[in-house]
Amino acid sequence: MLHIDATAHVRGESTYVDDVPAPAGMLYAAIFGSPVAHGSVASLNVEDALAAEGVAAVITAKDIPGENQIGPIIPDEPLLADGAVHYRGQPLAVVLAKSVALARKGAALITVSIDPLPVITDPRKAYENGEIIGAPRTVACGDVEAAFERCDVVVSGSCDMGGQEHVYLETQRSRAVPQEPGRLKIYSSTQSPYAGQRMIARILGIPHNHIEIDVLRLGGAFGGKEDQATQWACVAALSAWVTGQAVEVVLSREEDMRMTGKRHPYLSDFKIGATHDGKILAYQVEHYQNSGAGADLSTAVLERTLLHSTGSYHIPNARIFGVCCRTNLPPNTAFRGFGGPQGMFVIECAITALAEKMNLPVAQLQRRNLLDKSDPFPYGQLMGNDHAIRAWDDAVASYDFAAIHERIDHFNADHFATKKGAALMPVCFGISFTTTYMNQASALLHVYTDGSVGLSTGGVEMGQGLSTNMVLLAARALGIDTGKVRIESTNTTRIANMSPSAASSTTLLNGNAVVLAADQILVRLRTVAAELLSESRADRITIADGEVLNGGKPAGLTWEALVQHAYQSRVGLSAHAFYATPDVHYDKQTEQGEPFAYHACGTAMVEVTLDCVRGTYTVDSVKMVHDLGRPLSESVDLGQIEGGLAQGLGWMSLEDLQYGEDGTLLSGALATYKLPDAHFMPDDIQVKFLEQTDGPIGPYGSKAVGEPPLMYGIALFFALRQAMRAFRPTAEFPFTAPLTPERVLTALYAGDDPGELPRK
Ligand code: MTE
Ligand code: HPA
Ligand code: MOS
């Protein structure tokens, strides 16, 4: 089945928040954000804005009737700054006017006087100053000190990873529409409708059941709307509450880039040791996460970093330390991979440093230490299968990597100023929310009397193909054509208390709930059919392709006729079902447990050609073997693989967030923040699915696919490094990402002595 929205998307007919016709008198919001990154607010003057043409109201912290607090985990984030500002762009006031243009003009008239305070953008400096969020955490196994003693080779180093801007096509937006007194309906572009509902209730001081959030679909989110859509929903709701009119908040691209959080940059130090034959015995890492000015989801992101710090490898002695460091940047947030990519990048750097020191091929060390079935992760969970090894071996054999390496060596010997490089990246990504209680979902299924089906779940369609998967699952479970099933918007009045659509787990959680709901209906319909067909055993009745079967043979009864009979027999045709992932658990005190339902695995090779005069490069190919389980829709999953890969490649290479010392985002526009595009992506992308790997709990054997492929992009960094080393074999290159052409060029010609540079 194709992505259910494919046709409407291409024709421009899919609707989003601001395609919904505007209610009469709707006001438009402009956000006035702090012009400085840190300070205490001496005065805020909104009089001129209030008097401006078309301006209906200006909202500040004083207008908040409830609690001025939207921190999702730790209450450290006001909706509107009050007294102090902690990052540039932090919302101080909201101007409401008859048009967006007038609201912006009004906002330009606001003045603020702020007594500046020192600005910190470096996480290590924040840590030294004691500016941390939550408590530092350490996951450990074995005896690291003793193991280092036993190592033949030990290396240490540091990594500097950049963040990443989400660049969802649809920027943050929300529309609040007052209903009967005391009630609000909000259309929001959010991954987490319930978080919006919960926080609006807190801001307004009203019960959850007075607020309805409706989400049709998102024009992309990538984690950027897991938590950070909430504040804009709150701004819209508060504004509508105060004015009694409908209000729409839409951030411009520039505002969105400047005001919202991104993937967390990390500074990390590592030490790794192995025996002569390449068995890694010990690993030690310290992660300094640049959390930004508020906690947001940072502590959960750090947790996933800790749990992915040994990547796809079995390391018997490890000590993994991580800390969230408070800086004066917008609070950083979820981004596809959720801290996993950072943990996995560092271990790859460590293994690469080790291989360089030992003069061994990196791939040899990687393969030697891959997780096998009975190997534990440092947090105690067992790998449980041989998919990491199988995917690696399958990739190496299927794509004949030995031949590729040989071809590259020949090429490099024949060329002076152009070098090729290739690297392999094994991925092993834990599936489930690490916050155990979040692994729950519900579905609501209605069968109408004409046999058509309406389906609601707590999952949000953000482009990833959730709706397609949900329709497929309902149709398959009921035994009817997908054309009979309509997926409804995600709405808090139909599904309560939903978790965000995140952690790659939306199909797993909501899909299982859909199947359970369909099963309830089926049990009832089978009884009706058995009666109609004078069959004493209802368990002999099945439905396939819209026909009722008795003992596997057509019974001359259609789905539609059966549904009619059920209705007239007064049998309920609606079902609500709840699903919770069984057995997952984690103890934050001991840092041990089984937080994941399973791990999604695979291996990819990235090949590059580097122009050593210019520092520019081309990604030639990506070849992977990925463990998809039994896909519900191969084309949807392939879309996720290619999209995730593109974002991973971009994170490692082009996408360079630069901040000034005063906390200004210097790359705050798409002219200065370079994204991977169709030209950048390799023409040659080959994806092979690992055979016989049915998902253990995914509906119909399917597996999560949303995030894992992003981490294949990490191979690009190391492929480039290979090419750079082919040009300058003895140079020391830093582990600084992204490896932009500028950084490549600088590294290739670093050093004071021109005599050291390569000569033809
Ligand atoms: N794909 C598209 N097209 N748009 C998105 O916003 N978000 C990613 C991934 N793929 C995203 C996407 C992220 S961060 C996650 S966690 C998963 O989709 C969420 O959806 P899933 O749980 O259904 O995989
Ligand atoms: N992934 C995404 N979001 C989350 C997670 C996670 O593991 N834990 C809490 N929120
Ligand atoms: Mo995805 S980062 O879990 O929204």
Side-chain angles (χ1 to χ4, degrees):
M1 185 178 174
L2 279 182
H3 193 295
I4 209 168
D5 287 332
T7 309
H9 277 2
V10 170
R11 293 162 65 108
E13 291 169 351
S14 304
T15 57
Y16 297 85
V17 169
D18 64 358
D19 293 318
V20 182
M26 186 162 84
L27 297 172
Y28 297 84
I31 313 291
F32 176 77
S34 170
V36 302
H38 195 196
S40 51
V41 180
S43 67
L44 178 67
N45 187 336
V46 303
E47 296 307 315
D48 293 350
L50 253 181
E53 181 202 344
V55 171
V58 178
I59 311 279
T60 62
K62 288 194 282 296
D63 297 302
I64 294 175
E67 203 186 330
N68 184 11
Q69 183 50 245
I70 56 166
I73 301 176
I74 295 170
D76 69 348
E77 228 186 306
L79 176 66
L80 296 173
D82 193 10
V85 288
H86 297 278
Y87 63 93
R88 273 180 164 253
Q90 182 173 3
L92 276 157
V94 184
V95 178
L96 304 170
K98 278 191 266 182
S99 73
V100 177
L102 290 174
R104 285 180 197 280
K105 273 192 180 165
L109 299 174
I110 294 181
T111 54
V112 62
S113 150
I114 296 174
D115 300 327
L117 289 164
V119 174
I120 300 180
T121 58
D122 181 293
R124 236 187 269 267
K125 206 161 151 199
Y127 180 69
E128 281 158 17
N129 288 3
E131 288 289 340
I132 65 170
I133 296 171
R137 289 173 65 175
T138 302
V139 175
C141 64
D143 183 339
V144 183
E145 271 71 30
F148 274 122
E149 291 291 314
R150 284 187 283 123
C151 291
D152 299 312
V153 192
V154 175
V155 289
S156 49
S158 295
C159 303
D160 183 342
M161 280 152 282
Q164 188 172 22
E165 161 62 40
H166 301 86
V167 206
Y168 22 62
L169 283 180
E170 181 200 33
T171 52
Q172 301 279 0
R173 62 199 56 206
S174 214
R175 180 188 289 184
V177 185
Q179 310 288 300
E180 290 192 326
R183 285 163 193 263
L184 280 177
K185 178 166 182 174
I186 290 98
Y187 301 89
S188 171
S189 179
T190 180
Q191 288 172 255
S192 191
Y194 185 50
Q197 183 185 22
R198 216 166 45 219
M199 288 306 161
I200 291 169
R202 188 192 273 185
I203 290 288
L204 300 182
I206 61 176
H208 293 191
N209 66 359
H210 285 41
I211 299 151
E212 173 184 356
I213 311 260
D214 192 82
V215 182
L216 186 51
R217 64 166 66 77
L218 277 52
F222 309 111
K225 297 169 184 172
E226 177 172 342
D227 182 63
Q228 297 210 349
T230 301
Q231 60 176 311
W232 314 110
C234 286
V235 166
L238 171 66
S239 302
W241 190 259
V242 171
T243 60
Q245 278 168 277
V247 172
E248 186 170 87
V249 179
V250 175
L251 297 194
S252 69
R253 178 67 60 192
E254 184 272 326
E255 288 168 332
D256 198 305
M257 292 185 79
R258 181 162 51 86
M259 292 180 177
T260 70
K262 315 190 185 306
R263 185 191 292 289
H264 295 77
Y266 276 58
L267 294 176
S268 304
D269 302 325
F270 65 80
K271 181 175 166 190
I272 191 166
T275 56
H276 274 311
D277 64 344
K279 174 64 201 154
I280 299 169
L281 293 185
Y283 180 54
Q284 181 182 317
V285 61
E286 289 95 38
H287 296 292
Y288 300 90
Q289 179 198 64
N290 190 334
S291 312
D296 190 88
L297 299 173
S298 293
T299 51
V301 170
L302 183 78
E303 181 168 78
R304 192 170 274 275
T305 303
L306 299 176
L307 301 183
H308 286 77
S309 282
T310 50
S312 302
Y313 308 103
H314 173 232
I315 304 182
N317 305 283
R319 190 168 55 236
I320 302 153
F321 166 90
V323 60
C324 300
C325 308
R326 197 188 293 278
T327 60
N328 297 111
L329 301 180
N332 285 316
T333 193
F335 194 133
R336 209 170 192 168
F338 205 76
Q342 290 94 327
M344 286 163 71
F345 176 70
V346 181
I347 183 67
E348 293 300 329
C349 290
I351 291 182
T352 300
L354 195 57
E356 287 170 1
K357 173 127 180 208
M358 295 172 82
N359 220 354
L360 286 175
V362 185
Q364 189 177 320
L365 277 187
Q366 290 173 303
R367 174 64 183 84
R368 173 83 168 79
N369 293 284
L370 281 181
L371 282 156
D372 205 345
K373 191 171 176 168
S374 56
D375 291 334
F377 289 89
Y379 49 91
Q381 180 161 357
L382 295 185
M383 175 60 178
N385 61 49
D386 61 356
H387 299 173
I389 287 180
R390 267 214 281 143
W392 177 284
D393 290 347
D394 193 347
V396 168
S398 306
Y399 300 117
D400 198 353
F401 286 161
I404 294 176
H405 281 301
E406 204 173 311
R407 173 169 55 69
I408 288 176
D409 288 345
H410 279 296
F411 180 94
N412 287 345
D414 288 350
H415 294 77
F416 173 71
T418 310
K419 298 291 184 194
K420 283 185 183 288
L424 277 88
M425 178 69 199
V427 167
C428 190
F429 192 78
I431 302 303
S432 290
F433 287 95
T434 60
T435 308
T436 302
Y437 76 82
M438 293 173 84
N439 295 292
Q440 54 172 298
S442 310
L444 176 65
L445 198 151
H446 297 313
V447 180
Y448 295 98
T449 58
D450 66 350
S452 66
V453 172
L455 178 62
S456 296
T457 76
V460 167
E461 171 64 51
M462 61 190 101
Q464 90 278 40
L466 181 80
S467 300
T468 314
N469 288 346
M470 295 303 105
V471 166
L472 274 168
L473 285 169
R476 187 156 163 185
L478 292 172
I480 59 175
D481 188 75
T482 51
K484 285 244 174 295
V485 184
R486 209 192 118 73
I487 187 91
E488 305 291 353
S489 65
T490 314
N491 187 295
T492 54
T493 66
R494 270 177 271 120
I495 302 290
N497 313 331
M498 72 270 281
S499 290
S501 287
S504 304
S505 303
T506 318
T507 288
L508 161 62
L509 296 171
N510 292 271
N512 275 319
V514 167
V515 173
L516 289 173
D519 284 347
Q520 290 180 37
I521 303 267
L522 270 183
V523 168
R524 296 178 218 158
L525 288 180
R526 278 202 190 124
T527 310
V528 172
E531 242 167 62
L532 264 174
L533 300 168
S534 309
E535 167 59 62
S536 60
R537 286 179 51 197
D539 64 341
R540 285 175 53 85
I541 307 288
T542 52
I543 303 171
D545 299 327
E547 294 286 334
V548 177
L549 309 179
N550 189 359
K553 295 201 192 68
L557 181 64
T558 62
W559 160 261
E560 287 82 0
L562 175 59
V563 167
Q564 260 300 325
H565 278 294
Y567 174 64
Q568 293 189 359
S569 315
R570 297 189 292 172
V571 167
L573 289 171
S574 295
H576 174 275
F578 173 81
Y579 177 82
T581 312
D583 303 330
V584 284
H585 59 93
Y586 193 72
D587 182 342
K588 285 190 191 182
Q589 251 49 60
T590 59
E591 301 283 7
Q592 294 282 306
E594 296 195 20
F596 301 119
Y598 61 90
H599 285 79
C601 299
T603 289
M605 178 195 248
V606 173
E607 192 184 338
V608 291
T609 304
L610 173 64
D611 178 335
C612 301
V613 176
R614 294 172 184 81
T616 52
Y617 46 80
T618 311
V619 185
D620 298 318
S621 69
V622 179
K623 295 173 175 138
M624 72 172 81
V625 172
H626 184 65
D627 171 7
L628 266 189
R630 191 178 289 267
L632 297 172
S633 162
E634 283 199 10
S635 63
V636 164
D637 284 4
L638 198 55
Q640 285 297 288
I641 290 174
E642 292 181 352
L645 172 69
Q647 282 184 316
L649 293 172
W651 176 51
M652 281 285 107
S653 60
L654 304 179
E655 299 184 44
D656 197 8
L657 287 170
Q658 297 266 357
Y659 293 95
E661 278 185 4
D662 62 352
T664 313
L665 176 60
L666 302 172
S667 50
L670 296 182
T672 47
Y673 184 79
K674 178 89 180 104
L675 287 172
D677 58 14
H679 300 291
F680 177 78
M681 289 300 283
D683 294 332
D684 186 12
I685 300 180
Q686 296 179 44
V687 179
K688 192 180 163 201
F689 300 148
L690 193 63
E691 308 274 337
Q692 287 163 2
T693 58
D694 278 21
I697 60 163
Y700 297 114
S702 61
K703 274 192 180 164
V705 66
E707 294 163 287
L710 182 136
M711 283 147 274
Y712 293 133
I714 292 174
L716 175 53
F717 182 92
F718 298 98
L720 280 168
R721 189 175 172 93
Q722 283 292 111
M724 291 161 71
R725 283 170 60 85
F727 186 67
R728 274 193 82 173
T730 55
E732 301 248 337
F733 298 121
F735 292 109
T736 302
L739 205 35
T740 57
E742 187 179 345
R743 284 210 183 88
V744 170
L745 196 64
T746 311
L748 283 180
Y749 298 95
D752 304 326
D753 182 2
E756 276 181 11
L757 288 176
R759 273 163 208 286
K760 192 161 182 171

